[in-house]
């Protein structure tokens, strides 16, 4: 039995070696989404400007700095928790991990709104988006159904998620690309005009710049694959893989957003299912059954995002489970079921998603689906950019204080360029964080008040929660028999050097 186990461990180590294309595929499934296309389209030609900010000036620093930190000896596991803990201390490391974990508990509501919006088109049931109670019941069925499916292991559900991504994201996006190119080639009229005058924001106040929010979300998540830098056959190809991802993501976002913006009047774009109607508008002039295409694509897109939620249910919880075993959560969350699944952590995540779902679905004012969607998206970005700010501060500390630590990959040969990456990433993360708290310009006065009240109240609760939990860290670690001194972050240069040898 032990020999078999040992052989299995050796095989696992071999299996950890990945190619650049495999890393590209893994990261693409985390980063590229379709439920943000309608939000991009709402910005019209300005989407090009925001894509430049998020896709180049922000995404590039994220991937290169996280790749460098992940390649440092001894830092390949734990991701943001390890990086921030070693540079900023244990409390900061735990907070960064918590914000990374909690952001997706909010983001899942955004995804579920999209799924339900698509199903409403597919099955011709507007009540499931217009009636908040029906919508919430469906959200709970989706959420807890996916959590239940994970309890006997993730191998089967992992395959399901891959198929869902292929059928529900890759195929619809390429179909949209084909239709949109055909639409342009035939000289059809466009609802918007793109030129050097229209791509910049109409004004530089917060209510307009909040349009940047969904673009940050579109490129967030790439740091999750950074720990795999050391698993690459050739770590030096990491920047090429991330650049290819940036190009692919920018192109798909441009195609998706422009296909909606150029075929549907801006005031008719629905955030939760606008992309579905874009298919109908594009095929209408070719004599194809509009209703059939909208129903089919709505179903496929919903299936794709279901697979994405399934992956998010498994992924972030693994890191939180490791934190629970180190005493950052009550001891009950450090236990797994007989299949090795962190059931209690998943249930905790499900409870938080449900609470946020209640707040957003019923607190947004009845059937105001777009307001709920916008608030959920903004809250997700506010939490995630908070984590990114901690990540970039950690990177800058690394560059100023620990330049001698051995790493397999560096963001740039020039130290000053590496520092520039850190500063640029922090500034744009802070910019994305600040503008989330400005209500969108197209909301009514009452809706702006509701948006701000929901966003601020939910954010404050989640901001202080990790610090409240940290006060019990020593107590929970003691109950688990964990030596707090052993898990505490090294703070001196000598300790860091010792850790990485």
């Amino acid at each position: 039995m032990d020999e078999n186990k040992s052989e299995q461990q050796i095989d696992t180590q071999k299996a950890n070696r990945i190619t650049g294309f495999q890393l590209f595929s893994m990261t693409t499934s985390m980063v590229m989404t379709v439920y943000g296309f309608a939000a991009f389209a709402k910005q019209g030609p300005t989407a090009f400007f925001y894509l430049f900010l998020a896709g180049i000036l922000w995404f590039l620093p994220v991937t290169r700095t996280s790749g460098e930190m992940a390649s440092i000896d001894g830092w390949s596991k734990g991701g943001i928790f390890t990086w921030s803990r070693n540079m900023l201390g244990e409390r900061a490391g735990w907070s960064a991990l918590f914000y990374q974990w909690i952001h997706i508990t909010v983001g899942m509501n955004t995804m579920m709104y999209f799924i339900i919006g698509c199903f409403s088109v597919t099955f011709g049931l507007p009540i499931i988006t217009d009636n908040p109670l029906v919508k919430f019941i469906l959200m709970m069925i989706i959420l807890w159904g996916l959590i239940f499916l994970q309890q006997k292991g993730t191998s089967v559900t992992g395959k399901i998620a891959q198929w869902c991504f292929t059928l529900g994201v890759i195929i619809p996006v390429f179909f949209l690309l084909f239709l949109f190119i055909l639409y342009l080639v035939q000289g059809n009229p466009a609802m918007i005009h793109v030129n050097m005058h229209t791509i910049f924001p109409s004004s530089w106040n917060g209510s307009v710049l909040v349009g940047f929010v969904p673009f940050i979300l579109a490129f967030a998540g790439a740091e999750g694959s950074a720990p795999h830098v050391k698993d690459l056959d050739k770590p030096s190809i990491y920047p090429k893989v991330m650049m290819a991802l940036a190009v692919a993501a920018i192109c798909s976002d441009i195609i998706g957003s422009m296909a909606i913006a150029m075929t549907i009047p801006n005031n008719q774009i629905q955030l939760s299912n606008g992309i579905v109607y874009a298919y109908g508008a594009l095929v209408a002039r070719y004599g194809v059954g509009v209703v059939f295409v909208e129903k089919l694509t709505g179903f496929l897109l919903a299936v794709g995002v279901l697979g994405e939620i399934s992956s998010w249910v498994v992924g972030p919880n693994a890191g939180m489970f490791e934190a629970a075993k180190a005493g950052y959560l009550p001891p009950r969350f450090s236990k797994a079921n007989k299949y090795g699944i962190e059931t209690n952590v998943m249930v905790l995540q499900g409870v938080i998603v449900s609470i946020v779902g209640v707040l957003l679905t019923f607190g947004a004012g009845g059937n105001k689906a777009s307001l709920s969607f916008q608030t959920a998206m903004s809250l997700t970005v506010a939490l995630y950019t908070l984590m990114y700010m901690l990540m970039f501060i950690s990177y800058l500390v690394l560059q100023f204080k620990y330049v001698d630590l051995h790493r397999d990959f560096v963001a740039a040969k020039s130290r000053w360029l590496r520092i520039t990456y850190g500063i640029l990433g922090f500034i744009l993360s802070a910019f994305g964080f600040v503008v989330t708290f400005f209500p969108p310009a197209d909301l009514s006065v009452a809706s702006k008040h509701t948006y701000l009240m929901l966003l601020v109240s939910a954010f404050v609760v989640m901001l202080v929660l990790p610090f409240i939990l940290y006060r019990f860290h020593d107590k929970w670690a003691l109950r688990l028999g964990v030596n707090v001194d052993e898990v505490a972050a090294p703070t001196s240069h000598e300790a860091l050097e010792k850790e990485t040898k």
Side-chain angles (χ1 to χ4, degrees):
M1 185 68 139
D2 290 339
E3 286 183 9
N4 291 337
K5 199 170 184 182
S6 177
E7 288 177 9
Q8 187 177 5
Q9 288 176 343
I10 294 174
D11 291 338
T12 301
Q13 290 174 356
K14 279 185 177 180
N16 283 335
R17 305 308 300 172
I18 58 175
T19 64
F21 182 74
Q22 287 172 325
L23 181 64
F24 173 82
S25 301
M26 290 165 57
T27 315
T28 298
S29 65
M30 297 174 66
V31 174
M32 289 178 60
T33 58
V34 295
Y35 54 85
F37 286 173
F40 303 159
K42 271 283 189 183
Q43 306 310 315
T46 311
F48 285 93
F49 173 70
Y50 288 143
L51 281 169
F52 172 74
L53 283 183
I56 303 297
L57 300 185
W58 185 76
F59 185 77
L60 192 61
V62 166
T63 55
R64 298 188 79 86
T65 58
S66 60
E68 179 174 340
M69 288 189 287
S71 74
I72 293 176
D73 294 343
W75 288 24
S76 60
K77 292 183 179 180
I80 184 65
F81 176 60
T82 299
W83 311 335
S84 295
R85 186 184 65 168
N86 283 336
M87 294 293 94
L88 305 177
E90 192 174 6
R91 194 190 307 266
W94 159 243
S95 299
L97 172 65
F98 183 87
Y99 297 139
Q100 185 186 49
W101 177 78
I102 202 72
H103 101 275
I104 198 56
T105 66
V106 181
M108 282 183 186
N109 283 285
T110 308
M111 296 180 199
M112 288 189 289
Y113 286 144
F114 179 82
I115 291 169
I116 293 171
C118 288
F119 280 151
S120 73
V121 176
T122 299
F123 300 109
L125 296 172
I127 189 175
I128 66 177
T129 54
D130 294 342
N131 187 301
L133 180 59
V134 174
K135 180 193 291 186
F136 182 73
I137 291 173
L138 284 175
M139 290 168 65
M140 294 301 98
I141 292 173
I142 293 171
L143 173 66
W144 292 102
L146 288 173
I147 290 176
F148 176 77
L149 287 174
Q150 310 294 336
Q151 299 312 304
K152 289 190 177 181
T154 57
S155 58
V156 175
T157 52
K159 292 177 182 177
I160 292 174
Q162 290 176 7
W163 277 102
C164 285
F165 181 76
T166 301
L167 293 173
V169 178
I170 300 298
I171 293 176
V173 167
F174 273 96
F175 181 45
L176 184 64
L177 170 62
F178 170 75
L179 290 175
F180 186 49
I181 290 176
L182 195 61
Y183 178 89
L184 295 178
V185 168
Q186 292 184 341
N188 289 296
M191 295 289 177
I192 61 171
H193 299 284
V194 180
N195 54 53
M196 289 303 296
H197 299 290
T198 60
I199 62 174
F200 294 103
S202 56
S203 67
W204 298 93
N205 59 54
S207 61
V208 173
L209 294 178
V210 71
F212 182 57
V213 167
F215 295 88
I216 281 282
L217 192 58
F219 293 94
E223 82 289 342
S225 69
H228 295 292
V229 170
K230 300 192 78 168
D231 296 331
L232 282 168
D233 292 330
K234 296 180 180 179
S236 60
I237 69 170
Y238 176 77
K240 295 179 182 178
V241 172
M242 291 299 105
M243 185 59 70
L245 174 63
V247 171
I250 290 173
C251 289
S252 69
D253 290 339
I254 289 175
I255 295 300
S257 58
M258 290 301 104
I260 297 174
M262 290 187 174
T263 58
I264 299 177
N266 191 277
N267 60 358
Q268 295 179 21
I269 296 175
Q270 300 181 44
L271 292 183
S272 57
N273 56 12
I275 187 174
V276 178
Y277 294 112
Y279 284 95
L282 285 167
V283 301
R285 53 192 41 83
Y286 304 120
V288 181
V290 173
V291 175
F292 171 76
V293 170
E294 288 180 349
K295 289 181 181 295
L296 178 61
T297 54
F299 180 78
L300 289 176
L301 291 167
V303 167
V305 180
L306 273 171
E308 188 177 348
I309 293 179
S310 181
S311 298
W312 279 111
V313 166
V314 178
N317 284 324
M320 189 57 73
F321 182 55
E322 293 301 315
K325 290 190 290 186
Y328 290 92
L329 289 174
R332 69 171 64 92
F333 296 107
S334 66
K335 298 175 182 178
N337 67 13
K338 62 181 180 180
Y339 296 99
I341 301 300
E342 55 276 8
T343 301
N344 291 341
V345 174
M346 284 188 180
V347 170
L348 175 64
Q349 182 189 56
V351 170
I352 295 174
V353 173
S354 302
I355 293 172
V356 175
V358 169
L359 179 66
L360 294 173
T361 305
F362 296 101
N367 64 351
K368 297 177 182 176
S370 290
L371 180 59
S372 297
F373 190 92
Q374 179 70 56
T375 308
M377 186 178 290
S378 295
L379 181 57
T380 302
V381 172
L383 293 166
Y384 215 178
T385 50
L386 195 58
M387 184 279 295
Y388 278 118
M389 283 189 279
L390 288 171
M391 187 186 87
F392 283 116
I393 292 173
S394 300
Y395 183 74
L396 289 170
V397 172
L398 174 69
Q399 295 305 316
F400 284 111
K401 297 183 68 176
Y402 303 106
V403 291
D404 296 331
L405 289 178
H406 179 264
R407 62 210 77 181
D408 294 330
F409 168 78
V410 290
K413 292 182 179 180
S414 167
R415 179 166 175 255
W416 288 109
L417 182 54
R418 296 198 298 271
I419 292 172
T420 301
Y421 279 143
I423 294 173
L424 187 60
F426 177 82
I427 289 174
L428 280 175
S429 297
F431 171 68
F433 173 80
V434 170
V435 298
T436 57
F437 293 95
F438 288 90
D442 59 348
L443 294 180
S444 65
V445 175
S447 293
K448 287 181 180 180
H449 177 74
T450 303
Y451 169 89
L452 202 56
M453 181 184 67
L454 288 173
L455 181 60
V456 172
S457 58
F459 175 77
V460 169
V461 171
M462 294 178 186
L463 175 68
V464 302
L465 198 51
F467 298 99
I468 294 173
L469 293 172
Y470 186 79
R471 293 175 64 88
F472 301 95
H473 173 45
D474 290 354
K475 175 184 174 182
W476 291 334
L478 185 63
R479 286 170 59 185
L480 289 169
V482 176
N483 188 332
V484 178
D485 293 331
E486 289 181 0
V487 299
T491 53
S492 68
H493 195 171
E494 293 76 13
L496 278 170
E497 287 183 330
K498 183 179 180 181
E499 179 181 286
T500 55
K501 285 181 180 178

